[in-house]
Amino acid sequence: MGAVYLVRHGQASFGAADYDVLSELGHAQARAVGIELARRDVAVSLARSGTLSRQRVTAEVALAECCPDGTVEIDARWNEYDHVDIVARHGGGGAQEDADPQAYQGVLEKALREWIEAGASSPCAETWPMFLDRVRGAFDDLVSSLGKGSRAVVFTSGGVIATLCGTLLGDPATGFLSLNRVTVNAGLTKIVTGRSGTTLLSFNEHGHFDGEAAESLTYR
């Protein structure tokens, strides 16, 4: 069977002028997930990443630990939804506030629900159906590129991972809303593919942040 490992990027810079930058902790998380992939002896056949800085840098740092000679294919279809645009147009609006990320999370989740419910009528530059189509397309193309027994690693974001997991479980919208909020930074999700189809094997693994590394566990 082939396998796809979806890796959420390390912690970004919430509340900063440029969110799309790994924090110091984010760099450490990226290294930790790379070490975990090396510990599992994952022989990486394909590596892909979105174009966002937090995704690309996570890929660079992680692969230095598990596949130093590997190269990453950059594909914008693995990018996260535009949370700034969505919150500006749905859910009453709101800005990221470093002092109260939990309050912003509530605003974001309300906006995401409205964004999904609006469907193609959303005023956002990318509607939920558009987001869903591009994420599914990126995944389908990746799976079609996998050879027998191949291992692919994709460095992406929580919303993308939650959407794909929801799709495999039969309900992308519910999966997105339920799973997106609990994806951890630099967590691992494993999907296997073979003659019987494509199956979600594990979601959001983060044992590499247990024990002494527990302080490195973050959700935002």
Side-chain angles (χ1 to χ4, degrees), residues 103-163:
Y104 180 78
Q105 183 64 29
V107 172
L108 175 61
E109 289 187 8
K110 184 175 186 293
L112 290 172
R113 289 190 195 95
E114 291 187 8
W115 177 58
I116 290 174
E117 291 170 358
S121 298
S122 170
C124 291
E126 182 177 50
T127 64
W128 163 251
M130 293 165 64
F131 175 73
L132 182 58
D133 284 349
R134 74 165 165 87
V135 169
R136 283 172 163 171
F139 182 73
D140 289 346
D141 284 353
L142 176 64
V143 169
S144 68
S145 300
L146 281 179
K148 183 178 180 181
S150 296
R151 301 289 183 264
V153 180
V154 180
F155 298 88
T156 182
S157 295
V160 174
I161 295 169
T163 299

Side-chain angles (χ1 to χ4, degrees), residues 14-39:
F14 185 89
D18 186 359
Y19 172 76
D20 190 26
V21 176
L22 282 190
S23 67
E24 182 177 349
L25 177 57
H27 279 268
Q29 291 168 335
R31 182 171 181 269
V33 76
I35 292 172
E36 174 63 13
L37 288 167
R39 185 192 70 78

